[in-house]
Amino acid sequence: MAPKDSFDFLIQWHLTEKCNLTCTHCYQNGHGSDELTPDEIQSVINEISSTMHSWQETYDMDFSPSINLTGGEPLLRKDLYDVITSFKSIGFDIYILTNGILIDNQTAHELSDLGVSGVQVSIEGPEDIHDSIRGKNSFKQSVRGVKLLKNAGLEVTLNATVSEINAHYLAETVGLASDLGVNRLGFSRLVPSGRGKALLHEMMKPSDVERLYKKIFAIKPDNGLEIVTGDPVASQFRNSTGNKDFGEIALGGCAAGISGLTIMSDGTVVPCRRMPVPVGNVRRDSLREIWSMSPVLNDLRDKSKYKGKCRTCKKWANCRGCRAIAYAYSASKGKADFLAPDPQCFV
């Protein structure tokens, strides 16, 4: 009997918009005031489980579902462990995205005991660079959290959001990851939305992005450190197929509308956590119907709807550019368009 096809499906869930216990900005601006209740979260988890089973039966396809629990700072949710347990019970791999500041020894071991598959901690480079981006003394606290997570036996990924601020500190960042003994070091590009909007002028030029990824993929750590990135334009280095046309059916690349979606803390559903284009709300809408019926999601799956060189690119199926960056950058130019070309594509 031939093996079934398998489909990777990722949900990003912002459990809270609050950043950490010492952050006053979020409380002053009311973030987190309309967060989903524990009962509402459990109801959504039940629907996700039902939808997965229905898809498996309908399409005779195995799913490899995973969830990134993020925020804000997910560790601020008092019911975080209940959420983890519920998702584990329906077969999801669980990943926590955190700044690491609130990790203590007890928390690290509890996450390990709950069967969390991995924890991603944001580190933007060496200490002075990280603190200039994340706040004074945040580096030391985040590194402390990383060490505690490693000591508890958890797989840890460091992730750096690259821009003109930290792109020149690649070697130092790799060295830091090696010294800490983490499993992976990941890179993503700056999305100039939210607080990142103030860093629009720090976006890298396409040629600089190309040079950076060439350097990144040329690194061959000898201590088991894995260099990773979910950036769709990075696929240009991994798909060395010349001028081959991959067609008009999305196969990989940007996950927005293709292999995942995001649930915000108030239940709003968006294609990507960095792309604030609402497609529904789990408080009133069925996730299954959102996935199949949303005009926004269906446009993201349709090559003919794309603009500029993304529409004519032969590598569209494996890339499509970063839709969040395309949306944020086009908004900065006066007309927000999630189908606009990726401004940093170097192809």
Side-chain angles (χ1 to χ4, degrees):
M1 179 181 295
K4 293 182 180 179
D5 292 330
S6 181
F7 181 69
D8 293 332
F9 190 79
L10 170 66
I11 294 176
Q12 302 256 12
W13 198 323
H14 284 236
L15 290 177
T16 177
E17 288 301 303
K18 295 186 285 289
C19 299
N20 58 59
L21 292 172
T22 61
C23 176
T24 59
H25 172 86
C26 294
Y27 293 101
Q28 291 170 349
N29 289 277
H31 296 328
S33 60
D34 195 27
E35 293 174 357
L36 294 172
T37 66
D39 285 345
E40 287 175 321
I41 288 176
Q42 186 58 55
S43 177
V44 176
I45 293 173
N46 292 342
E47 187 195 355
I48 291 171
S49 178
S50 174
T51 299
M52 288 291 177
H53 281 107
S54 177
W55 283 349
Q56 287 173 338
E57 293 178 0
T58 301
Y59 302 108
D60 193 28
M61 178 180 289
D62 286 333
F63 284 82
S64 299
S66 58
I67 184 161
N68 290 345
L69 298 175
T70 181
E73 176 49 59
L75 292 173
L76 287 173
R77 283 288 303 214
K78 295 180 180 179
D79 59 341
L80 174 62
Y81 297 162
D82 293 333
V83 175
I84 292 172
T85 299
S86 292
F87 270 108
K88 287 291 291 185
S89 72
I90 63 172
F92 270 67
D93 290 331
I94 315 294
Y95 297 89
I96 307 294
L97 276 56
T98 174
N99 58 27
I101 291 175
L102 298 182
I103 297 292
D104 56 24
N105 190 58
Q106 179 179 343
T107 301
H109 280 88
E110 287 175 338
L111 292 176
S112 180
D113 291 343
L114 285 167
V116 168
S117 298
V119 181
Q120 176 180 296
V121 179
S122 299
I123 294 288
E124 308 300 356
E127 184 171 3
D128 57 337
I129 297 299
H130 178 91
D131 283 358
S132 72
I133 297 171
R134 294 275 177 174
K136 187 176 180 180
N137 296 323
S138 61
F139 179 85
K140 287 185 173 66
Q141 296 176 77
S142 294
V143 166
R144 176 179 177 273
V146 169
K147 292 178 179 178
L148 291 172
L149 291 167
K150 286 296 298 177
N151 289 341
L154 284 158
E155 290 204 359
V156 179
T157 298
L158 299 188
N159 189 78
T161 302
V162 292
S163 67
E164 290 291 353
I165 298 174
N166 60 358
H168 306 293
Y169 296 88
L170 175 62
E172 292 88 340
T173 305
V174 173
L176 172 65
S178 295
D179 291 343
L180 290 173
V182 299
N183 303 85
R184 298 174 191 84
L185 171 62
F187 295 91
S188 55
R189 283 180 287 151
L190 169 70
V191 179
S193 64
R195 294 189 189 183
K197 189 181 298 184
L199 299 176
L200 178 67
H201 62 288
E202 300 290 358
M203 287 183 66
M204 301 172 66
K205 297 177 181 178
S207 58
D208 293 332
V209 172
E210 181 179 17
R211 279 193 291 271
L212 177 67
Y213 278 131
K214 282 182 178 179
K215 291 180 181 179
I216 288 173
F217 292 130
I219 297 172
K220 305 295 181 186
D222 56 6
N223 61 347
L225 175 68
E226 184 181 0
I227 306 295
V228 298
T229 178
D231 188 344
V233 302
S235 65
Q236 312 308 334
F237 290 101
R238 292 176 170 169
N239 295 322
S240 55
T241 53
N243 203 35
K244 178 181 177 180
D245 191 332
F246 284 87
E248 300 182 359
I249 298 177
L251 304 172
C254 182
I258 306 298
S259 60
L261 47 73
T262 296
I263 303 172
M264 304 304 291
S265 64
D266 66 351
T268 299
V269 181
V270 295
C272 165
R273 69 192 189 104
R274 301 300 187 198
M275 196 173 92
V277 180
V279 296
N281 190 295
V282 295
R283 281 182 162 141
R284 63 176 184 270
D285 303 313
S286 160
L287 265 180
R288 184 175 182 177
E289 290 184 3
I290 291 172
W291 183 254
S292 61
M293 302 297 290
S294 164
V296 170
L297 298 185
N298 283 317
D299 281 352
L300 286 166
R301 301 162 184 155
D302 186 347
K303 183 179 181 181
S304 70
K305 297 292 182 66
Y306 280 64
K307 312 290 176 58
K309 62 181 182 179
C310 281
R311 180 173 181 167
T312 58
C313 183
K314 293 181 178 181
K315 299 182 179 181
W316 178 89
N318 287 319
C319 179
R320 296 181 306 288
C322 175
R323 294 297 94 211
I325 292 177
Y327 180 79
Y329 186 78
S330 62
S332 74
K333 299 302 180 182
K335 187 178 180 180
D337 185 354
F338 58 85
L339 297 169
D342 186 324
Q344 292 176 306
C345 177
F346 45 79
V347 176

